[in-house]
Short mmCIF file of all heavy atoms in Angstrom, two decimals:
data_model
loop_
_atom_site.label_atom_id
_atom_site.label_comp_id
_atom_site.label_asym_id
_atom_site.label_seq_id
_atom_site.Cartn_x
_atom_site.Cartn_y
_atom_site.Cartn_z
N ASP A 1184 -41.81 15.18 -1.18
CA ASP A 1184 -41.96 13.96 -2.00
C ASP A 1184 -41.02 13.97 -3.19
O ASP A 1184 -41.08 13.09 -4.06
CB ASP A 1184 -43.41 13.80 -2.47
CG ASP A 1184 -43.89 14.96 -3.32
OD1 ASP A 1184 -43.11 15.92 -3.54
OD2 ASP A 1184 -45.04 14.92 -3.79
N ASP A 1185 -40.10 14.96 -3.26
CA ASP A 1185 -39.18 15.09 -4.38
C ASP A 1185 -37.81 14.49 -4.01
O ASP A 1185 -37.13 15.00 -3.12
CB ASP A 1185 -39.01 16.56 -4.75
CG ASP A 1185 -38.20 16.76 -6.03
OD1 ASP A 1185 -37.68 15.76 -6.59
OD2 ASP A 1185 -38.06 17.92 -6.47
N PRO A 1186 -37.37 13.42 -4.67
CA PRO A 1186 -36.09 12.81 -4.35
C PRO A 1186 -34.89 13.52 -4.95
O PRO A 1186 -33.73 13.13 -4.71
CB PRO A 1186 -36.22 11.41 -4.94
CG PRO A 1186 -37.10 11.59 -6.12
CD PRO A 1186 -38.09 12.66 -5.72
N ASN A 1187 -35.12 14.56 -5.73
CA ASN A 1187 -34.03 15.24 -6.44
C ASN A 1187 -33.57 16.48 -5.69
O ASN A 1187 -34.35 17.18 -5.04
CB ASN A 1187 -34.49 15.64 -7.85
CG ASN A 1187 -34.88 14.43 -8.67
OD1 ASN A 1187 -34.07 13.55 -8.89
ND2 ASN A 1187 -36.13 14.39 -9.11
N VAL A 1188 -32.27 16.79 -5.83
CA VAL A 1188 -31.66 17.97 -5.23
C VAL A 1188 -31.13 18.86 -6.35
O VAL A 1188 -30.36 18.39 -7.21
CB VAL A 1188 -30.50 17.59 -4.29
CG1 VAL A 1188 -29.86 18.86 -3.70
CG2 VAL A 1188 -31.00 16.68 -3.17
N VAL A 1189 -31.53 20.12 -6.37
CA VAL A 1189 -31.04 21.08 -7.35
C VAL A 1189 -29.99 21.96 -6.68
O VAL A 1189 -30.25 22.58 -5.65
CB VAL A 1189 -32.18 21.94 -7.92
CG1 VAL A 1189 -31.62 22.98 -8.91
CG2 VAL A 1189 -33.23 21.07 -8.59
N LEU A 1190 -28.78 22.01 -7.26
CA LEU A 1190 -27.67 22.75 -6.67
C LEU A 1190 -27.07 23.75 -7.65
O LEU A 1190 -27.06 23.52 -8.86
CB LEU A 1190 -26.57 21.78 -6.23
CG LEU A 1190 -26.83 20.88 -5.03
CD1 LEU A 1190 -25.67 19.91 -4.86
CD2 LEU A 1190 -27.01 21.70 -3.77
N ASN A 1191 -26.53 24.80 -7.09
CA ASN A 1191 -25.71 25.73 -7.87
C ASN A 1191 -24.45 24.99 -8.32
O ASN A 1191 -23.91 24.14 -7.60
CB ASN A 1191 -25.34 26.94 -7.01
CG ASN A 1191 -24.56 27.98 -7.78
OD1 ASN A 1191 -23.37 27.84 -8.01
ND2 ASN A 1191 -25.23 29.05 -8.18
N GLU A 1192 -23.96 25.33 -9.51
CA GLU A 1192 -22.78 24.65 -10.04
C GLU A 1192 -21.53 24.88 -9.19
O GLU A 1192 -20.53 24.17 -9.34
CB GLU A 1192 -22.51 25.13 -11.47
CG GLU A 1192 -22.22 26.62 -11.57
CD GLU A 1192 -22.14 27.10 -13.01
OE1 GLU A 1192 -22.10 26.24 -13.90
OE2 GLU A 1192 -22.14 28.33 -13.23
N CYS A 1193 -21.58 25.85 -8.30
CA CYS A 1193 -20.42 26.14 -7.46
C CYS A 1193 -20.70 25.79 -5.99
O CYS A 1193 -20.03 26.29 -5.09
CB CYS A 1193 -20.04 27.62 -7.58
SG CYS A 1193 -18.26 27.90 -7.68
N ALA A 1194 -21.68 24.93 -5.75
CA ALA A 1194 -22.01 24.53 -4.37
C ALA A 1194 -20.80 23.94 -3.66
O ALA A 1194 -19.98 23.22 -4.26
CB ALA A 1194 -23.15 23.51 -4.39
N GLY A 1195 -20.66 24.26 -2.39
CA GLY A 1195 -19.50 23.85 -1.61
C GLY A 1195 -19.25 22.35 -1.61
O GLY A 1195 -18.11 21.91 -1.63
N ILE A 1196 -20.31 21.54 -1.62
CA ILE A 1196 -20.15 20.09 -1.62
C ILE A 1196 -19.45 19.61 -2.88
O ILE A 1196 -18.66 18.67 -2.86
CB ILE A 1196 -21.51 19.38 -1.46
CG1 ILE A 1196 -21.36 17.85 -1.53
CG2 ILE A 1196 -22.51 19.84 -2.51
CD1 ILE A 1196 -20.47 17.26 -0.50
N LEU A 1197 -19.68 20.29 -4.01
CA LEU A 1197 -19.14 19.85 -5.29
C LEU A 1197 -17.65 20.16 -5.43
O LEU A 1197 -16.95 19.50 -6.20
CB LEU A 1197 -19.90 20.49 -6.44
CG LEU A 1197 -21.41 20.21 -6.48
CD1 LEU A 1197 -22.05 20.94 -7.66
CD2 LEU A 1197 -21.67 18.71 -6.58
N HIS A 1198 -17.17 21.16 -4.70
CA HIS A 1198 -15.78 21.60 -4.88
C HIS A 1198 -14.89 21.25 -3.69
O HIS A 1198 -13.72 20.91 -3.88
CB HIS A 1198 -15.75 23.11 -5.14
CG HIS A 1198 -16.42 23.50 -6.42
ND1 HIS A 1198 -15.74 23.65 -7.60
CD2 HIS A 1198 -17.73 23.70 -6.71
CE1 HIS A 1198 -16.60 23.95 -8.57
NE2 HIS A 1198 -17.82 23.98 -8.05
N TYR A 1199 -15.42 21.36 -2.48
CA TYR A 1199 -14.56 21.16 -1.30
C TYR A 1199 -15.09 20.12 -0.33
O TYR A 1199 -14.66 20.07 0.82
CB TYR A 1199 -14.32 22.52 -0.61
CG TYR A 1199 -13.72 23.53 -1.54
CD1 TYR A 1199 -14.37 24.73 -1.83
CD2 TYR A 1199 -12.52 23.25 -2.21
CE1 TYR A 1199 -13.82 25.64 -2.73
CE2 TYR A 1199 -11.97 24.14 -3.11
CZ TYR A 1199 -12.62 25.34 -3.37
OH TYR A 1199 -12.09 26.23 -4.27
N CYS A 1200 -16.02 19.30 -0.80
CA CYS A 1200 -16.47 18.10 -0.06
C CYS A 1200 -16.97 18.40 1.36
O CYS A 1200 -16.74 17.58 2.26
CB CYS A 1200 -15.35 17.06 0.00
SG CYS A 1200 -14.90 16.42 -1.61
N GLN A 1201 -17.64 19.52 1.55
CA GLN A 1201 -18.24 19.79 2.85
C GLN A 1201 -19.49 18.94 3.00
O GLN A 1201 -20.56 19.29 2.50
CB GLN A 1201 -18.59 21.27 2.98
CG GLN A 1201 -17.57 22.08 3.78
CD GLN A 1201 -18.10 23.43 4.14
OE1 GLN A 1201 -18.46 24.20 3.27
NE2 GLN A 1201 -18.17 23.72 5.43
N GLU A 1202 -19.35 17.83 3.69
CA GLU A 1202 -20.48 16.91 3.85
C GLU A 1202 -20.20 15.94 4.98
O GLU A 1202 -19.07 15.51 5.17
CB GLU A 1202 -20.70 16.12 2.55
CG GLU A 1202 -21.90 15.21 2.55
CD GLU A 1202 -21.59 13.78 2.97
OE1 GLU A 1202 -20.40 13.46 3.24
OE2 GLU A 1202 -22.53 12.96 3.05
N CYS A 1203 -21.23 15.63 5.74
CA CYS A 1203 -21.16 14.55 6.71
C CYS A 1203 -22.50 13.82 6.71
O CYS A 1203 -23.50 14.35 6.24
CB CYS A 1203 -20.82 15.06 8.11
SG CYS A 1203 -22.09 16.08 8.88
#
Side-chain angles (χ1 to χ4, degrees):
D1184 60 358
D1185 187 355
N1187 299 301
V1188 179
V1189 178
L1190 289 174
N1191 183 282
E1192 62 187 349
C1193 222
I1196 177 60
L1197 301 179
H1198 296 265
Y1199 303 120
C1200 295
Q1201 260 193 302
E1202 185 267 358
C1203 67

